[in-house]
Amino acid sequence: MLGLMSGTSLDGLDLAYCHIMKNKDQWSFEILNTKSVSYTVEMQAELKDAIFLQADKLLVFNNEYGTWLGEQSIEFIKENALEVDYIASHGHTTHHQPQNGLTYQIGSGQHLANASGHRVVCDFRTNDVSLGGQGAPLVPIGDRLFFGNYDFCLNLGGISNVSFEQKGKRIAYDIGLANMILNYITRKIDLDYDKGGELARNGTINSKMLEKLNGLAYYLLPHPKSIGYEWFVEEVAPIVDETDDHIENLLHTAVHHICEKVAQQIKRNSTGNRQSLFVSGGGALNHFLIDTLQEKVGSDTKVVVPEPTLIEFKEALVFALMGALRMEQEINILCSVTGAKRDSSSGVLYLPN
């Protein structure tokens, strides 16, 4: 499987070539080749602003982006002489409004299949939303099948989400902010991101900004729940924009907010025993964030950061798994996570040409 992932942090496209295996009832994986393709400034802007496009222009962009994904895929396949059964593509989420029965990931599967010459499985979220679910988060199926030996699995992408077992069911939901707010702040000084969290480490807390972030209404909602870029634009960006302070202080405050909200959820669902918190996603490379997180969750919880390949490509790996599960007609979306009427095997298959 070749897994493709583009997340809400808008940093680029992740490609992970994986062997997905099942022995009796146990799934396992190997990540054999990886690549990250950074978005140009122009493409980053196009993806960020896609939410504002008229319908016909959005559909044209959907096709163009699908072709681009296919071109990146076939280049990666040829570079590494890979044998690929299927490409599993998340696409890029432009609209996520499950309360309105809507979720939309651009990256036309047919255009991707034609440009790459390979079979494509994509559009993993739509079916779950049609069944009354949030269509998110989807990574928990990978947490259960690949990383079930950890008490909690935390992903720090553009958004923070957590998953864990509770009374035999996998529970998961979007906690709130992560890299989306951090990258939004650094782009004010033309930096893609705060490498290692060094700028944030040198700041101090802006108490007014922290109070406003902590007071966001989303945090009071029960799960299942999820958020998208629309929520960030409407609710979060204005708080950052109206805070007149040094970039270091804005970042420092945002990190403390992220970690406080994660720690609240870990403590609320703790069993009371010594436990492990497995952290992946780009935020796991932010050393200041990880140090702050360990401080907030306390000594009863061990924060586990895996090796860099798994940190960066876990989501692409999980979409490779979801594609494999779909082709095996096995469940790949859990209703205990999304709130849908039932579990499902979701994803649409596209054949080249």
Side-chain angles (χ1 to χ4, degrees):
M1 303 293 303
L2 173 56
L4 308 182
M5 177 65 197
S6 174
T8 47
S9 52
L10 288 167
D11 46 4
L13 173 70
D14 290 336
L15 303 93
Y17 177 63
C18 313
H19 282 179
I20 309 291
M21 298 153 282
K22 187 181 185 185
N23 183 12
K24 297 180 181 175
D25 288 333
Q26 182 61 50
W27 287 89
S28 60
F29 69 90
E30 288 180 286
I31 301 177
L32 299 169
N33 299 81
T34 60
K35 183 180 182 180
S36 287
V37 181
S38 295
Y39 290 132
T40 62
V41 173
E42 294 76 21
M43 187 171 237
Q44 208 172 61
E46 280 187 286
L47 289 167
K48 182 167 71 73
D49 296 336
I51 186 175
F52 305 116
L53 290 175
Q54 292 179 326
D56 55 346
K57 291 181 178 172
L58 179 64
L59 294 175
V60 169
F61 188 31
N62 171 56
N63 295 341
E64 290 172 348
Y65 185 65
T67 298
W68 183 83
L69 290 175
E71 290 167 351
Q72 300 308 310
S73 297
I74 193 61
E75 184 179 316
F76 178 64
I77 289 166
K78 287 179 176 176
E79 278 173 0
N80 297 285
L82 306 177
E83 292 183 20
V84 174
D85 291 316
Y86 299 95
I87 296 173
S89 174
H90 170 263
H92 187 89
T93 300
T94 59
H95 296 69
H96 186 68
Q97 302 168 21
Q99 71 279 11
N100 297 325
L102 168 68
T103 188
Y104 192 62
Q105 288 71 46
I106 62 167
S108 161
Q110 191 63 66
H111 288 72
L112 201 171
N114 289 355
S116 67
H118 285 76
R119 296 174 291 185
V120 170
V121 193
C122 64
D123 192 12
F124 290 102
R125 299 184 188 271
T126 300
N127 186 42
D128 184 77
V129 171
S130 77
L131 292 170
Q134 290 283 312
L138 300 187
V139 170
I141 189 67
D143 293 340
R144 169 179 272 183
L145 297 181
F146 286 159
F147 307 105
N149 54 321
Y150 296 99
D151 297 298
F152 296 92
C153 288
L154 174 69
N155 186 67
L156 297 172
I159 291 161
S160 61
N161 52 60
V162 69
S163 86
F164 51 93
E165 294 290 326
Q166 192 175 78
K167 297 177 182 175
K169 291 184 177 180
R170 196 79 192 177
I171 305 297
Y173 48 89
D174 288 348
I175 294 175
L177 294 166
N179 294 330
M180 201 185 284
I181 186 172
L182 299 176
N183 295 353
Y184 182 78
I185 293 168
T186 57
R187 286 185 188 125
K188 290 178 178 292
I189 55 170
D190 295 324
L191 266 184
D192 285 338
Y193 63 97
D194 178 14
K195 187 173 183 180
E198 289 308 308
L199 289 173
R201 194 184 292 277
N202 291 324
T204 56
I205 289 175
N206 182 303
S207 54
K208 284 188 178 178
M209 176 179 165
L210 184 61
E211 187 179 336
K212 288 177 183 176
L213 290 173
N214 286 343
L216 289 164
Y218 173 79
Y219 294 117
L220 299 175
L221 297 175
H223 64 78
K225 60 180 182 176
S226 62
I227 44 180
Y229 187 64
E230 299 99 316
W231 173 77
F232 178 82
V233 170
E234 292 166 12
E235 303 283 338
V236 182
I239 294 174
V240 176
D241 293 341
E242 69 193 20
T243 304
D244 184 16
D245 206 340
H246 298 296
I247 291 295
E248 290 86 348
N249 296 345
L250 298 180
L251 289 167
H252 189 92
T253 304
V255 166
H256 273 267
H257 165 73
I258 291 163
C259 294
E260 280 180 23
K261 290 304 174 185
V262 170
Q264 282 175 8
Q265 297 306 311
I266 300 304
K267 289 175 181 177
R268 182 172 297 166
N269 295 288
S270 171
T271 58
N273 302 317
R274 175 81 173 154
Q275 55 196 7
S276 53
L277 172 61
F278 179 83
V279 186
S280 60
L285 299 169
N286 185 318
H287 306 307
F288 176 63
L289 193 157
I290 294 300
D291 291 346
T292 306
L293 180 60
Q294 182 64 78
E295 180 188 311
K296 301 279 187 192
V297 296
S299 57
D300 287 340
T301 300
K302 180 174 174 55
V303 174
V304 180
V305 177
E307 46 92 16
T309 298
L310 195 50
I311 291 173
E312 295 184 62
F313 294 96
K314 181 190 168 200
E315 285 189 294
L317 162 70
V318 172
F319 280 98
L321 169 66
M322 290 188 70
L325 291 169
R326 179 71 184 101
M327 298 321 300
E328 294 296 313
Q329 297 182 31
E330 293 203 23
I331 287 164
N332 62 6
I333 298 186
L334 304 168
C335 64
S336 62
V337 168
T338 67
K341 294 171 188 169
R342 59 179 181 272
D343 292 341
S344 62
S345 184
S346 292
V348 181
L349 173 65
Y350 290 90
L351 306 176
N353 304 316

